[in-house]
Amino acid sequence: MTTTVITAVDIGTNRSSTHEAGSLHLSTGYEASVVSTVGAETVIDKKSEADDNDPRNKWAKNDAYDSGPDGGLTGWLVIVGSFLGYFTSFGTEMSWGTRILQDYFEREVFHDIPDAQFQLSFAGTIIGLMLNVMGPLYQILAARYGVRPVLIMGVLLMVLGLQLSSITSQIWHLYLTQGFLFGLGAAFLYMTTMTVPTQWFNRRRGLAMGSVTSGAGIGGVVFPFILTELSQKYGIAWTYRILGFIHLGLNIATCILVKEKYPKHKKVKVAEDGEAQPAVSPPTLKEIFDFSILKDGTFLWWMITSVISTLGCFTPFFFLPSYATYNGLDSSDATVLLAVLSASNCFGRISLGFVGDRIGRLNTHIISTFISGAASLGIWTVAYDYNTIMAFAVVYGIFSSSFYILVSPITATIVGIEKFPTALSLMLLSNAISIVGPNIASAVENSVNAEPYLTYKVFVGVTFLLGGLLLIALKVKMTRSILCKI
């Protein structure tokens, strides 16, 4: 009777040990031991049994999509395509949010309507809602037809929405064109670029997603300048038409470069011999949505914590320019502050993704959340001159978006790759609450008798700090440790 024991170590470097009885391919980032037998007798490695009881190993195994190479040329081309999707969709959305397009409509098109500003603001709100609530629809379409057809549909809807916006004659037209059509198309791009890159990376997943989401920051800097120049020279109609062609050109590249690692297959990722499994029939609705994660206390804690910690995230992006002018700065200074805030946000997305792969993504998110809260309470509350406000813009810009960089890898770690699509859809649905965060802050500001803008500062700081405390509790719940890497 023959017994063979196979042990593999140092999987974090994606090395594998191959022996006569077979080969081991894992990439969980922790040591593991595997026993293979020939005959009826089995030898159990006590180290393997001990490792299985370590809660950190459970989360590391959840985090591994497969044992393939980390990224590679194709994987990084997926990142480039996803970056372009973020750049165009969020660049346009932020151009409305920073009032570049909305301001033009207020001054030149609907100037005779008394509450035009209030009515126009809903067009931007609809875009934000579509980006977050269309996750389930995307999940159904992508599971049945594959990612690329849905991606192409999204690009066409975005371009159509922008072209139709060029012939707008009523405010409610913008709700349908820029709000619904453009927002639906942008949601399909958003969900694709949030889910597909995670398939290609394990150890460098944080850097990958940071690189993708940096497109939002760069788009937020570039597009306002482009659209301001276009609207002044050619008017709003041709601005929208040109913008539509920009989207079409750049996102053709997105449709070509972004692809699934294992198209149209579920549950079995790689066969035991290392060969890819053949495509399977489209899954049923019950298979697409795995709502068993709602019974997962760790996931629910993560979702609730995320809602709280992101509630104040966008408030400075909305109110920092008006805060600057309130303190005696001119409009050009306010524009520079907003540009620095967006540029710092772009730098932070890449650097925090890189750091997350080194010290742990949840660890990075916890640290960033506390720094964002401290910046609001410690810097913004005493910022009354240009230099201090600029310091706040830089620090807050770098650290405030850690959730949007790391939500995909952290969610994958908590629920595992198989339940990841459903979990991400639910995370984005719940995150829709953060869209109304600035509105909540404004309501509180108008109801209290306090120094102007103080309510915004406290609201942002408290939500971040409370979120940070809840994240620490989540980490302890997951790992029974406060210092370990996760």
Side-chain angles (χ1 to χ4, degrees), residues 297-316:
T298 302
F299 171 72
L300 292 176
W301 188 270
W302 163 235
M303 185 166 65
I304 293 170
T305 298
S306 300
V307 170
I308 294 172
S309 63
T310 59
L311 199 56
C313 180
F314 297 117
T315 300

Side-chain angles (χ1 to χ4, degrees), residues 175-213:
Y175 298 167
L176 298 177
T177 57
Q178 182 160 334
F180 181 77
L181 285 178
F182 177 84
L184 180 59
F188 288 164
L189 260 74
Y190 178 45
M191 288 298 298
T192 301
T193 53
M194 287 283 281
T195 55
V196 173
T198 60
Q199 299 176 7
W200 293 90
F201 294 85
N202 289 325
R203 292 181 296 110
R204 290 183 287 182
R205 190 175 290 162
L207 176 61
M209 291 309 301
S211 301
V212 169
T213 60

